[in-house]
Amino acid sequence: RAQRQYDAVDPTNRLVAGTLERRWNDAMKAHSELEEEVAQLARERPSPLSVETRKELLALANNLPRLWDHPQSPHEFKKRILRTVLKEIIVSSEDDSVRLVLHWHGGDHTELRLKKTPTGQHRYVTSSDTIELIRSLARLQSDARIAATINRLGHRTAHGQTWTAMRVCGTRSRHDIAVYSEGERRARGDLNVDEVAAALKVTPTTVLRLIQQRALAAKQACRNAPWVIRKTDLDHYLAAKAEINTATRISSQTSLDLQ
């Protein structure tokens, strides 16, 4: 087309002829570059796979899930796998979701849609079980004691760290959990093992034995947490014990037969 335009121009119109000649030369140069690129791609085209190579690749594809899910497979190795099989990933934002188009080497495409993380949230979130445990223990223990208790249970922070009094305090503040108050616990009528032992005039070990025998009602927020005995349950135990003692004294008295 550039050549036809140049041939059709009036030779006396040198300005137009010169412009068309440059366009013709540019088109010829672009055509030559494209031909060279096609020839280069043809030279770099891999030869057809042999039967043995094809079998090896298919076997590798079948073993890929097992290799990916292996517990000793490091993250660096998985990144190398992704770089090998993925050509590019195109991400676009659509309302409350993210659309990902994965272009695989070989020509296949995969589309994924993921929900966006709500504003103000992130992946480092303390588990709801741990928060509820802290909420329960905050009525019974100080922050330092709470940290020791949940550490023994194997709970960790959102970042995988052990708990400290400061971290427990921060979690309480974020979730509106009131700090432990000794007066508030006693006002509720909750007693600990030492207080019950003093009321019964026995050792704490005896109180624990009574709890294990279910002679004295008590509750635990979790394993390793302190036992909580309600004041009303202690009163019921004392009343039942008094009845047993009274019945024992009456049955042990010697009866007199007066004639």
Side-chain angles (χ1 to χ4, degrees), residues 250 252-259:
I250 293 175
S252 63
Q253 291 178 353
T254 303
S255 60
L256 297 178
D257 188 11
L258 299 177
Q259 296 181 352

Side-chain angles (χ1 to χ4, degrees), residues 134-146 165-166 168-186 188:
I134 292 176
R135 191 184 303 278
S136 300
L137 293 175
R139 307 186 68 191
L140 307 172
Q141 293 179 313
S142 64
D143 291 345
R145 296 290 299 276
I146 293 174
M166 184 176 297
V168 172
C169 179
T171 301
R172 280 195 307 94
S173 300
R174 287 190 295 273
H175 294 85
D176 297 326
I177 302 175
V179 67
Y180 169 73
S181 174
E182 185 72 19
E184 190 268 341
R185 178 181 65 82
R186 292 182 178 178
R188 290 198 314 267

